[in-house]
Amino acid sequence: MPSVVKINVLTVPDEQREVLEKRFASRAGSVEGSDGFEWFELLRPVEGTDQYLVYTRWRSEEDFQNWMATSMRGSHGGAQGEGGERPKPAASGSTLWSFEVVQQAAPTE
């Protein structure tokens, strides 16, 4: 069974970039222990776009869906700001791309 890759494309205005990166830094460890989780990367745009890519790789679609139904809700929806309010989202838009891994390569030693 091939691994699956989920790429969340986040549109982030310039003034919210630091906020987004700090929020991801503070969530460190929230997905790593999930069953079927294989990899995470937050990719910052260098030029020509305001879209960050959140790359995750999972053993299976079922593992990703299980995480979505349980752990993800807590790590993404539970943050509270001052006064008990949820902080404003750093991204102004989000799209989820889904892929199956059909080929891969690693450096040769």
Side-chain angles (χ1 to χ4, degrees):
M1 177 183 292
S3 295
V4 296
V5 169
K6 301 295 181 172
I7 300 173
N8 195 0
V9 183
L10 302 175
T11 302
V12 182
D14 285 344
E15 67 274 9
Q16 291 294 318
R17 285 179 165 211
E18 186 176 342
V19 171
L20 179 89
E21 291 180 21
K22 284 182 178 179
R23 287 182 186 169
F24 269 92
S26 70
R27 56 119 312 264
S30 66
V31 70
E32 287 85 334
S34 300
D35 191 38
F37 170 79
E38 295 179 351
W39 198 259
F40 162 85
E41 290 177 323
L42 175 62
L43 306 176
R44 176 193 303 138
V46 177
E47 59 184 48
T49 185
D50 59 355
Q51 295 180 318
Y52 277 72
L53 302 181
V54 183
Y55 173 101
T56 58
R57 182 170 165 156
W58 298 86
R59 177 179 56 210
S60 69
E61 179 67 25
E62 181 180 9
D63 290 322
F64 172 74
Q65 293 299 330
N66 287 339
W67 175 74
M68 286 286 291
T70 57
S71 303
M72 189 282 290
R73 300 289 176 222
S75 65
H76 284 73
Q80 299 285 317
E82 290 183 33
E85 304 161 1
R86 284 194 61 194
K88 177 185 170 203
S92 62
S94 174
T95 302
L96 183 64
W97 296 342
S98 299
F99 300 89
E100 286 184 344
V101 176
V102 293
Q103 291 185 27
Q104 62 186 20
T108 57
E109 295 182 35

